[in-house]
Amino acid sequence: MTDRTSERAPDEQPKLKEYEGEGITVTFEPRRCLHAAECVHGLPEVFDLSRRPWVLPDAAEAGLVAEVVRRCPSGALQYHPADGSVEHPDSPTSVRRTPSGQLVMRGDLLLSGAYGDRRETRVMLCGCGASGNQPYCDHSGPCAEPDDDAPEAR
């Protein structure tokens, strides 16, 4: 695991943790994680919060790891296969507003934020304006209220 950047100020690049495996590398951006728990429920042998490092990309087949990472609604988890391929965005792009106001988007996205433009395939954007991690939701405002249709972190 390596940190791509140090702790960030609001106008600096986000902190990315990288977990390198033989067939796939998984990156994690902690400030974007909203604890949907899709990863730990989907592949507990790869994603285990009780161990360090908490991500072991080689503990399952690379295709399964990629499949579970794509379930991450916030985009905090990303993957990079060793063969150089990339995650293909959903088409058509989808946008859904949760009952608490977040915008859940999947597709070929270009987001502008304090640190510049960024290509994304999966994001959960702040709909209330209270996030300290704009444009991403960080559950610091009304978005912290539980949604009836969102997966629960267990």
Side-chain angles (χ1 to χ4, degrees):
M1 173 191 79
T2 58
D3 285 345
R4 290 211 174 157
T5 62
S6 60
E7 194 60 39
R8 76 182 196 97
D11 60 345
E12 294 177 355
Q13 287 293 325
K15 184 177 180 179
L16 268 186
K17 295 181 179 182
E18 188 173 86
Y19 303 90
E20 191 171 344
E22 286 189 30
I24 193 166
T25 296
V26 175
T27 60
F28 176 60
E29 189 176 332
R31 285 190 52 153
R32 284 180 55 188
C33 182
L34 297 177
H35 309 290
E38 292 290 333
C39 55
V40 296
H41 294 297
L43 274 176
E45 63 273 25
V46 173
F47 303 97
D48 183 348
L49 297 173
S50 68
R51 115 185 129 222
R52 294 292 175 256
W54 76 280
V55 179
L56 297 176
D58 290 333
E61 188 271 319
L64 287 174
V65 174
E67 177 185 320
V68 169
V69 168
R70 283 191 299 269
R71 294 181 200 166
C72 176
S74 69
L77 287 171
Q78 302 285 328
Y79 67 92
H80 309 281
D83 66 8
S85 61
V86 296
E87 179 179 351
H88 295 286
D90 288 2
S91 182
T93 296
S94 65
V95 179
R96 177 179 63 87
R97 182 178 291 280
T98 67
S100 60
Q102 299 130 318
L103 295 173
V104 181
M105 302 177 74
R106 289 179 167 265
D108 188 9
L109 310 169
L110 179 64
L111 269 69
S112 295
Y115 43 83
D117 292 346
R118 195 169 171 187
R119 283 262 184 233
E120 299 281 2
T121 57
R122 295 172 279 111
V123 295
M124 190 170 290
L125 302 180
C126 177
C128 67
S131 175
N133 192 26
Q134 290 291 340
Y136 306 100
C137 180
D138 68 1
H139 281 186
S140 61
C143 296
E145 297 301 317
D147 288 341
D148 293 335
D149 66 344
E152 267 187 56
R154 291 176 178 46

